[in-house]
Amino acid sequence: MRILAIEASSLVASVAILTDDIITAEYTVNHKVTHSQTLLPMIDEVCRMTETEPESFDAIAVSGGPGSFTGLRIGSATAKGLGQALGVPLIHVPTLDAMAYNMYGTDMLICPVMDARRSQVYTGIYSFESGVLKIHRQSSAMAIEELMEELDGICRRTVFIGDGIPVFREFIDERARFEHEFAPAGINRQRASSVALLGAEYFAAGKTVSAAEHLPDYLRVSQAERERAERLAHE
């Protein structure tokens, strides 16, 4: 089994190749470069370096959201185009689920936080139980205050991960009534390897879609759509 994984839900651009149970390549860039400029060259590079023929992929796993509207659209379009060209299915992997997978094996509660602006976060709550990722809260867009109240109610040692940490770290430290940590730099952002590994589990369970069927999950309307609705409301 060979899976190509694509992650473009945030500033991070990442691609990986999973061959059976081995990550044979991963290429990750966390820099202000448009994903439309980086993803295809990165895929080409990992295929070239590992002597992998694109026709050998059994499926393409793609980080399906939530996250940056532009990033998700580019990642989705790239996966759909390759899926159609290669005639292989796509595996929709929720972005926050894959982020939680970075912390595989921890006994802590896992809480990814992506900055969604306006004091809101894209988040979920997870744990690993006997090596299986358990979802306590599905991917959600919510106020950081609401998230902290929910975590206070659970009152379990928690590790936070994601680009929302620099924005909300001080608030979390002041507000949390439970033990907590922040994931270190090597695993605190999106990684295509986690998309690939979780995608392999979904693939084995038959959770795939055709390239034509795949759509990103934005969780909320875009800023442009919000501004348009506000203008119409005042007309």
Side-chain angles (χ1 to χ4, degrees):
M1 178 186 68
R2 183 168 285 151
I3 292 175
L4 171 69
I6 297 172
E7 167 59 71
S9 64
S10 69
L11 185 63
V12 174
S14 184
V15 300
I17 297 174
L18 175 67
T19 304
D20 294 326
D21 59 349
I22 299 172
I23 296 292
T24 50
E26 183 175 25
Y27 188 163
T28 300
V29 176
N30 187 7
H31 188 63
K32 295 180 180 180
V33 180
T34 304
H35 295 332
S36 60
Q37 298 175 274
T38 57
L39 283 180
L40 286 174
M42 289 166 69
I43 293 168
D44 182 65
E45 181 70 7
V46 294
C47 287
R48 185 182 66 80
M49 291 293 291
T50 59
E51 300 180 326
T52 300
E53 293 295 331
E55 291 76 15
S56 69
F57 290 124
D58 296 293
I60 298 171
V62 58
S63 179
S68 159
F69 286 80
T70 301
L72 288 173
R73 289 187 182 114
I74 294 171
S76 175
T78 302
K80 287 166 74 74
L82 288 172
Q84 289 178 334
L86 299 173
V88 298
L90 268 56
I91 310 166
H92 179 114
V93 179
T95 299
L96 295 160
D97 295 16
M99 291 175 69
Y101 211 88
N102 287 7
M103 302 300 302
Y104 183 89
T106 183
D107 60 355
M108 292 184 283
L109 206 65
I110 308 162
C111 185
V113 283
M114 297 176 67
D115 183 17
R117 309 295 175 86
R118 298 188 175 190
S119 297
Q120 287 203 326
V121 291
Y122 295 124
T123 189
I125 302 174
Y126 307 83
S127 66
F128 279 96
E129 309 292 341
S130 300
V132 177
L133 185 65
K134 180 178 179 181
I135 302 174
H136 300 272
R137 165 176 277 280
Q138 296 279 359
S139 301
S140 306
M142 61 196 303
I144 185 65
E145 294 85 356
E146 185 182 352
L147 172 63
M148 295 305 294
E149 287 177 7
E150 185 167 343
L151 290 171
D152 280 343
I154 299 173
C155 198
R156 178 174 167 182
R157 188 172 171 227
T158 301
V159 58
F160 290 93
I161 182 171
D163 62 20
I165 292 175
V167 180
F168 297 109
R169 183 169 187 150
E170 184 176 340
F171 178 84
I172 291 170
D173 282 337
E174 292 175 353
R175 178 68 178 73
R177 300 189 184 94
F178 50 89
E179 290 186 65
H180 64 280
E181 300 178 12
F182 299 98
I187 52 175
N188 72 359
R189 293 293 189 273
Q190 292 87 337
R191 295 186 62 172
S193 55
S194 290
V195 175
L197 291 166
L198 194 52
E201 292 186 11
Y202 292 168
F203 184 75
K207 297 180 181 179
T208 64
V209 296
S210 69
E213 292 172 320
H214 171 74
L215 291 172
D217 186 2
Y218 300 113
L219 285 190
R220 67 180 194 180
V221 298
S222 68
Q223 180 178 347
E225 290 170 310
R226 289 198 305 272
E227 291 175 351
R228 180 176 181 274
E230 289 171 2
R231 286 198 304 270
L232 291 175
H234 288 91
E235 288 180 358

